[in-house]
Amino acid sequence: MIVQNLYHANLKIDAEGSVSLESAWELALEEPASGLEQLQAEARGWAGGIGEPFRIPAADGSYEFSETVLVTGIELKPVSLAVCRVIFSGAEFAAGGGEEPALAAAGSVVDVYETDGAHRRTMRFRASASVSPELIPQPGRPLEWEGGAFICESCRSSNSGFSVELEVTAREATLAELGLPQAGTDGDGFETKRAVWFVAASEHDAFLADHPVGGAAAWAGEKFTLVSADSKLVGKIGFEVVLLARKVETRCIAKVRSEKFAGLSRSGAIQREIVWKVRWRVAAEELSAFYGQTGLCPADWTEEEECIITDISPKRLSEMEYELDIEAQHPGNPGLFGRYSAEDRTNLSTRVDVSVDMAEFHVSAEMAGFQKLPDGRFRPILNWNSGSGCPFSADGRLAENMIESTLRCLVITESVYRSGDAARQIADLAAWAAVRVSTAAVAGASGSFLRIGQTCRETFSNSGKLYTRISRSYQKAPGDLQWNPNYWSSH
């Protein structure tokens, strides 16, 4: 069974002037009960009976038993078949084991209604000198008086032999600030303000709606944002709501430099990767100052010159502030520029990208017009036609030194960008593929070219316009040779 305290020491005064404490605990069974009767039996067994010591929450989440306060009432409230809420009432009794309370009314209640609508209630009590402090109303604290919500305004005491006389005055309230806001600082050094309010149960939802987390906290001062609103039950009358606000400022809150071994250069020098990771808290109106900073050097937050900002990731905390994770790298980091150089997509409508490579072309004996004999010698093929059998334009057979030779050829790839999607380029792609050999200049190089392949893919310009990138590869005939269009039309 898991036991959790929901609230403790809510002070109650009934119609007879009896003062008692109320606390609530929530019990969670390891497995759901088969029915409410079993659940209540489990809870009743844990709660004990009337007259037993009152439970007091301990710092470790468990509980201890009071030496002076006894249980005067137990209420069971099932939440589900696995959870039951147990509400205890407790009071302290005079020494000697009698039934006389250690704190009891010593006069009649006096109700005063002010012209502004305020309702104040005053009553005198007599208490033993050793009464538990938890049973004495404290100014500024809420209490339940005959079922209504009140805030204690004063508690005057006077000693009379072995007893103490108290005069308690409280004001009925549905909403009251308990003390003044307390100033402080958080773990990042930002100024904070903390305020505690009593809010009646009927006003709780409206109060939280008026104090949204992330919104402006005008009660704390200019440029404060509410970072949390935590509610804790005050018996059955309402909630104690703790508001925490933080000053919104643009400031660096964390800075970490990391260095790791990245390998050795060809000369054996050690290569290191140096990365700065910085976190900024930024006021919303100043966020634009961080736009367009990637690729530039940080102004003042790295201790190494010429570092390059490579990443800025903003996270919206509220309508008033953002948190930015910024990364900067040392310009000497291995592979930095290869990693962060994105594809250039400027001037696509007029651009022509060119790449050059080398390829090998093997000339077989048959392409040269010869046949290889079993003894390794070559003899001319009868009725061989160079117009259809040779890849190069020739008047007859190729020279014998061309047989089974490997020739190196230049391969040029041109990439152009056409407006629109790939479907609009099909006719152009088909027309190019229908011709295998061309003699037009390619990328400024003249000669006979064999069209060996083309690809296309869609891309977008920097302005967001759709283009199709068409890449076409041409293999230049080796030396002074010319490709034979008749041969390549069927190969």
Side-chain angles (χ1 to χ4, degrees), residues 230-488:
D230 297 324
S231 300
K232 182 180 180 181
L233 281 169
V234 180
K236 303 170 186 175
I237 57 174
F239 297 84
E240 185 178 276
V241 181
V242 179
L243 302 179
L244 182 63
R246 184 184 65 238
K247 186 73 173 288
V248 174
E249 296 178 284
T250 297
R251 186 191 302 174
C252 177
I253 60 175
K255 182 166 59 177
V256 177
R257 178 188 186 274
S258 66
E259 177 179 312
K260 69 179 181 180
F261 175 72
L264 298 174
S265 68
R266 294 183 65 182
S267 63
I270 296 174
Q271 293 183 312
R272 296 180 177 90
E273 183 179 82
I274 299 172
V275 179
W276 287 85
K277 292 189 177 180
V278 180
R279 180 163 292 173
W280 282 73
R281 194 77 54 74
V282 179
E285 64 271 17
E286 297 180 32
L287 180 64
S288 60
F290 290 81
Y291 293 161
Q293 295 297 305
T294 52
L296 303 180
C297 297
D300 55 6
W301 50 262
T302 64
E303 299 166 10
E304 293 161 292
E305 296 182 357
E306 298 182 354
C307 283
I308 299 170
I309 298 176
T310 54
D311 184 78
I312 299 178
S313 300
K315 176 184 177 183
R316 185 179 185 272
L317 299 182
S318 70
E319 62 184 16
M320 297 181 66
E321 64 179 348
Y322 286 76
E323 199 165 84
L324 270 62
D325 288 321
I326 304 178
E327 179 188 270
Q329 297 207 33
H330 192 278
N333 284 358
L336 171 64
F337 293 101
R339 188 182 312 144
Y340 286 99
S341 294
E343 179 186 354
D344 181 11
R345 291 183 287 184
T346 59
N347 304 318
L348 298 190
S349 61
T350 58
R351 262 181 45 193
V352 178
D353 297 336
V354 177
S355 63
V356 180
D357 203 350
M358 297 298 294
E360 293 182 343
F361 185 84
H362 180 72
V363 181
S364 66
E366 184 178 357
M367 291 178 179
F370 292 87
Q371 177 183 10
K372 189 174 183 179
L373 300 175
D375 60 4
R377 291 182 300 159
F378 296 93
R379 71 177 182 185
I381 299 174
L382 297 177
N383 300 320
W384 180 82
N385 185 346
S386 63
S388 59
C390 182
F392 304 109
S393 295
D395 294 334
R397 296 179 179 84
L398 300 181
E400 290 191 20
N401 61 2
M402 293 280 288
I403 300 173
E404 300 296 342
S405 63
T406 299
L407 308 177
R408 294 179 62 80
C409 303
L410 193 69
V411 176
I412 301 174
T413 300
E414 276 189 338
S415 297
V416 296
Y417 297 84
R418 300 285 185 256
S419 179
D421 60 13
R424 294 178 57 183
Q425 318 305 325
I426 292 178
D428 182 39
L429 296 171
W432 186 89
V435 178
R436 291 301 311 279
V437 175
S438 63
T439 56
V442 178
S446 300
S448 177
F449 289 93
L450 180 65
R451 300 180 178 183
I452 59 176
Q454 66 176 338
T455 61
C456 74
R457 64 177 178 86
E458 294 177 354
T459 188
F460 290 89
S461 67
N462 289 338
S463 62
K465 184 178 179 181
L466 177 63
Y467 282 86
T468 298
R469 184 178 193 264
I470 301 175
S471 297
R472 290 167 170 163
S473 296
Y474 302 82
Q475 184 169 333
K476 188 175 183 298
D480 296 328
L481 297 174
Q482 303 286 319
W483 296 115
N484 180 1
N486 293 332
Y487 175 89
W488 289 108

Side-chain angles (χ1 to χ4, degrees), residues 3-46:
V3 179
Q4 180 184 6
N5 179 254
L6 298 180
Y7 61 86
H8 175 66
N10 174 46
L11 203 59
K12 298 172 61 177
I13 304 174
D14 64 17
E16 286 74 35
S18 297
V19 181
S20 63
L21 296 177
E22 182 180 88
S23 66
W25 300 78
E26 197 164 79
L27 312 181
L29 305 181
E30 293 182 0
E31 294 183 1
S34 58
L36 288 179
E37 291 184 0
Q38 180 191 349
L39 176 68
Q40 291 176 327
E42 294 267 5
R44 196 174 293 112
W46 176 84

Side-chain angles (χ1 to χ4, degrees), residues 13-339:
I13 304 174
D14 64 17
E16 286 74 35
S18 297
V19 181
S20 63
L21 296 177
E22 182 180 88
S23 66
W25 300 78
E26 197 164 79
L27 312 181
L29 305 181
E30 293 182 0
E31 294 183 1
S34 58
L36 288 179
E37 291 184 0
Q38 180 191 349
L39 176 68
Q40 291 176 327
E42 294 267 5
R44 196 174 293 112
W46 176 84
I50 304 297
E52 294 185 2
F54 197 79
R55 286 173 167 82
I56 300 174
D60 62 359
S62 61
Y63 55 86
E64 302 169 347
F65 290 102
S66 172
E67 296 180 358
T68 58
V69 181
L70 302 179
V71 175
T72 59
I74 301 174
E75 184 180 358
L76 303 180
K77 286 189 172 182
V79 177
S80 68
L81 288 178
V83 178
C84 186
R85 189 168 294 170
V86 180
I87 302 173
F88 291 102
S89 295
E92 188 173 339
F93 295 89
E99 296 184 359
E100 182 181 351
L103 179 62
S108 299
V109 67
V110 177
D111 288 305
V112 177
Y113 293 89
E114 308 286 354
T115 57
D116 61 359
H119 173 205
R120 285 181 171 83
R121 178 171 290 174
T122 301
M123 194 172 192
R124 296 182 66 83
F125 299 87
R126 183 176 292 110
S128 65
S130 60
V131 68
S132 172
E134 289 186 316
L135 287 163
I136 300 177
Q138 300 296 321
R141 302 302 304 164
L143 58 89
E144 181 181 338
W145 203 330
E146 295 184 36
F150 286 77
I151 303 297
C152 179
E153 291 188 328
S154 65
C155 181
R156 299 181 178 90
S157 63
S158 59
N159 292 328
S160 177
F162 295 101
S163 65
V164 178
E165 288 195 357
L166 305 174
E167 184 182 84
V168 177
T169 299
R171 174 174 52 87
E172 189 173 21
T174 57
L175 185 67
E177 188 172 11
L178 306 180
L180 297 174
Q182 299 296 310
T185 56
D186 66 8
D188 295 318
F190 288 86
E191 183 182 353
T192 62
K193 292 286 182 65
R194 180 180 182 273
V196 183
W197 287 76
F198 168 76
V199 183
S202 60
E203 301 295 325
H204 185 243
D205 290 345
F207 182 84
L208 293 182
D210 291 339
H211 297 82
V213 173
W219 57 268
E222 187 179 1
K223 291 190 175 181
F224 275 82
T225 182
L226 188 66
V227 295
S228 65
D230 297 324
S231 300
K232 182 180 180 181
L233 281 169
V234 180
K236 303 170 186 175
I237 57 174
F239 297 84
E240 185 178 276
V241 181
V242 179
L243 302 179
L244 182 63
R246 184 184 65 238
K247 186 73 173 288
V248 174
E249 296 178 284
T250 297
R251 186 191 302 174
C252 177
I253 60 175
K255 182 166 59 177
V256 177
R257 178 188 186 274
S258 66
E259 177 179 312
K260 69 179 181 180
F261 175 72
L264 298 174
S265 68
R266 294 183 65 182
S267 63
I270 296 174
Q271 293 183 312
R272 296 180 177 90
E273 183 179 82
I274 299 172
V275 179
W276 287 85
K277 292 189 177 180
V278 180
R279 180 163 292 173
W280 282 73
R281 194 77 54 74
V282 179
E285 64 271 17
E286 297 180 32
L287 180 64
S288 60
F290 290 81
Y291 293 161
Q293 295 297 305
T294 52
L296 303 180
C297 297
D300 55 6
W301 50 262
T302 64
E303 299 166 10
E304 293 161 292
E305 296 182 357
E306 298 182 354
C307 283
I308 299 170
I309 298 176
T310 54
D311 184 78
I312 299 178
S313 300
K315 176 184 177 183
R316 185 179 185 272
L317 299 182
S318 70
E319 62 184 16
M320 297 181 66
E321 64 179 348
Y322 286 76
E323 199 165 84
L324 270 62
D325 288 321
I326 304 178
E327 179 188 270
Q329 297 207 33
H330 192 278
N333 284 358
L336 171 64
F337 293 101
R339 188 182 312 144

